[in-house]
Amino acid sequence: MKAEIKPRIDLINRTMLETVVPLKVPFIINLDPSDTCNFQCKFCPTGDRKLMKSTLGRSHGNMDYNLFKKIVDDICEFEKPIKVLRLYKDGEPLLNPRLADMIKYAREKKCSERIDTTTNASLLNPAKNLELIEAGLDRINISIEGVNAAQYASFSNYKIEFEKLVENIRYFYEHRNQCEMIVKINGDILTEDDKSRFYEIFGNIADGVYIEHIMSCWPEFELNGVEINQEHGIYGQEISEVQVCPYIFYSFSINSDGTASTCFLDWARKLIIGDTKLQSVKDIWNGDKLFEYQKEFLSMKRKGHPVCGQCGQLSHGQPDNIDPYASELLKKLIAARREQL
């Protein structure tokens, strides 16, 4: 097998947040090209069409390209490039017909060190593959939802030509140039034979492959008939909850309608901290709303928050642990805020 067995995130070469918080420039900005999806996966709120129709703010659809350019221009106002511009949040990015244009624009503007995306790969084809690669995409994370068409129909309510899917992924891998490819699958729905087949199929047509465990990471959303793994976290680690959410200290998200959220898991738009149509990205990052969230969580009050209090990501997702440094970081945060004002 050519591929390394490695997850979609770097678990080894991580910056110790307690040494850099508060950050003047975020590490990661999640920017959603489309908040709709052609799949209806049991673990994902976006796939619940009835829920989306009844939820305020969803579904918006594709991000307007001019708004995207405005956001990228805003990101360029930071004193240095962000580490990652992640073109993914709630939906399937390839549903936006201008995804390659977005990648190319962000690459030319040099607003980030890396551009990546996550996709179910169902809409890949040779022409689309070359568009994304030539536009300058640095990494593509591919989510596989089964090792045959029947599993896709059961888990994602999607009729797929599985062999064609594999061939399109193979084509991307063979022409990928600078673009790294990681292929992952939820392992808790698979038999041991299925897991072996996953490695057999994708082990030689990806840079990295990984079998994850299922977790309930979406706030206020109950998984549809999927049993949550209570023995292991998503990457096979011991389940251990942190009190302070680390993500809000190095990242935030921009929805397809331009609103900004503290969290990449904020599917219901309940953690809004700004609107890029009315504000600059830099002003949102330095704004009062995000500061108040950061201060609240460093004060160890996250568990009392109506949305974030029961976040499964903070127990099953292997987040960075800054709990021991909370009081020290709170002082630094407040001091930095005073200097800013």
Side-chain angles (χ1 to χ4, degrees):
M1 185 172 74
K2 295 179 182 178
E4 296 181 58
I5 297 179
K6 65 177 184 178
R8 49 190 158 146
I9 67 169
D10 189 346
L11 298 176
I12 300 173
N13 302 307
R14 300 187 68 78
T15 300
M16 305 300 288
L17 290 179
E18 63 272 17
T19 67
V20 295
V21 170
L23 290 168
K24 291 184 178 180
V25 180
F27 287 166
I28 301 171
I29 294 179
N30 299 276
L31 200 163
D32 203 5
S34 177
D35 76 346
T36 57
C37 189
N38 54 337
F39 281 21
Q40 297 180 67
C41 296
K42 295 179 179 180
F43 64 85
C44 178
T46 299
D48 189 329
R49 306 281 168 79
K50 291 182 179 179
L51 178 63
M52 290 300 98
K53 288 181 180 180
S54 65
T55 301
L56 184 64
R58 299 290 307 272
S59 292
H60 171 264
N62 293 334
M63 173 172 280
D64 177 78
Y65 184 60
N66 288 325
L67 176 59
F68 174 85
K69 291 196 294 182
K70 186 267 184 189
I71 292 168
V72 169
D73 292 347
D74 282 357
I75 295 173
C76 291
E77 293 177 358
F78 284 113
E79 60 189 48
K80 63 179 181 179
I82 63 173
K83 291 183 180 294
V84 182
L85 178 62
R86 182 151 293 151
L87 299 182
Y88 167 74
K89 183 178 177 281
D90 293 315
E92 169 51 51
L94 288 173
L95 285 174
N96 191 317
R98 303 209 65 176
L99 180 63
D101 293 332
M102 291 176 166
I103 295 167
K104 183 178 180 181
Y105 187 82
R107 171 60 60 221
E108 291 174 347
K109 286 292 183 175
K110 299 180 180 180
C111 67
S112 65
E113 296 176 11
R114 191 177 83 203
I115 303 169
D116 69 24
T117 193
T118 296
T119 174
N120 61 37
S122 65
L123 300 176
L124 289 180
N125 58 54
K128 179 63 67 176
N129 293 345
L130 295 179
E131 279 185 8
L132 298 176
I133 294 166
E134 292 170 2
L137 186 65
D138 294 300
R139 186 173 185 177
I140 186 169
N141 299 309
I142 294 178
S143 298
I144 298 298
E145 309 302 345
V147 293
N148 54 56
Q151 290 180 351
Y152 267 80
S154 173
F155 192 73
S156 299
N157 194 26
Y158 189 83
K159 184 177 181 180
I160 200 164
E161 295 181 47
F162 187 74
E163 290 74 18
K164 184 177 180 181
L165 171 74
V166 174
E167 284 308 306
N168 284 329
I169 292 173
R170 183 190 304 277
Y171 188 95
F172 194 109
Y173 176 74
E174 292 174 348
H175 295 80
R176 70 195 186 285
N177 294 335
Q178 80 291 335
C179 187
E180 182 183 25
M181 177 192 287
I182 305 296
V183 179
K184 61 91 174 175
I185 194 170
N186 288 318
D188 294 333
I189 63 171
L190 303 178
T191 66
E192 291 304 313
D193 286 344
D194 288 338
K195 293 176 184 178
S196 296
R197 178 162 168 72
F198 169 75
Y199 287 129
E200 178 184 332
I201 294 171
F202 298 103
N204 289 317
I205 57 171
D207 297 299
V209 290
Y210 203 78
I211 297 177
E212 298 180 348
H213 291 288
I214 293 175
M215 66 174 181
S216 178
C217 59
W218 306 101
E220 301 180 317
F221 175 73
E222 294 186 11
L223 303 191
N224 183 17
V226 179
E227 187 174 345
I228 302 168
N229 192 303
Q230 297 297 348
E231 296 182 3
H232 303 285
I234 187 172
Y235 303 118
Q237 80 280 11
E238 179 182 348
I239 294 173
S240 179
E241 185 175 20
V242 297
Q243 299 302 308
V244 180
C245 172
Y247 298 102
I248 63 171
F249 295 94
Y250 67 86
S251 68
F252 71 104
S253 298
I254 301 173
N255 301 308
S256 62
D257 64 354
T259 56
S261 171
T262 61
C263 182
F264 60 98
L265 298 171
D266 183 26
W267 64 272
R269 311 292 192 262
K270 292 186 176 181
L271 304 173
I272 300 300
I273 55 173
D275 189 337
T276 59
K277 296 189 296 294
L278 306 173
Q279 302 164 270
S280 74
V281 170
K282 188 174 182 180
D283 283 347
I284 292 171
W285 175 250
N286 292 320
D288 291 338
K289 290 185 178 180
L290 181 58
F291 171 73
E292 290 300 325
Y293 274 106
Q294 293 174 336
K295 187 170 68 171
E296 178 182 358
F297 290 175
L298 286 176
S299 300
M300 308 301 278
K301 296 178 180 179
R302 193 264 304 174
K303 293 291 288 183
H305 192 278
V307 176
C308 304
Q310 302 300 318
C311 179
Q313 181 73 23
L314 300 183
S315 57
H316 288 61
Q318 193 159 357
D320 303 283
N321 184 2
I322 57 175
D323 287 6
Y325 312 96
S327 59
E328 175 187 348
L329 293 178
L330 179 60
K331 293 177 183 177
K332 289 183 178 180
L333 181 74
I334 294 174
R337 189 66 172 177
R338 287 172 178 164
E339 289 183 9
Q340 180 183 338
L341 299 175

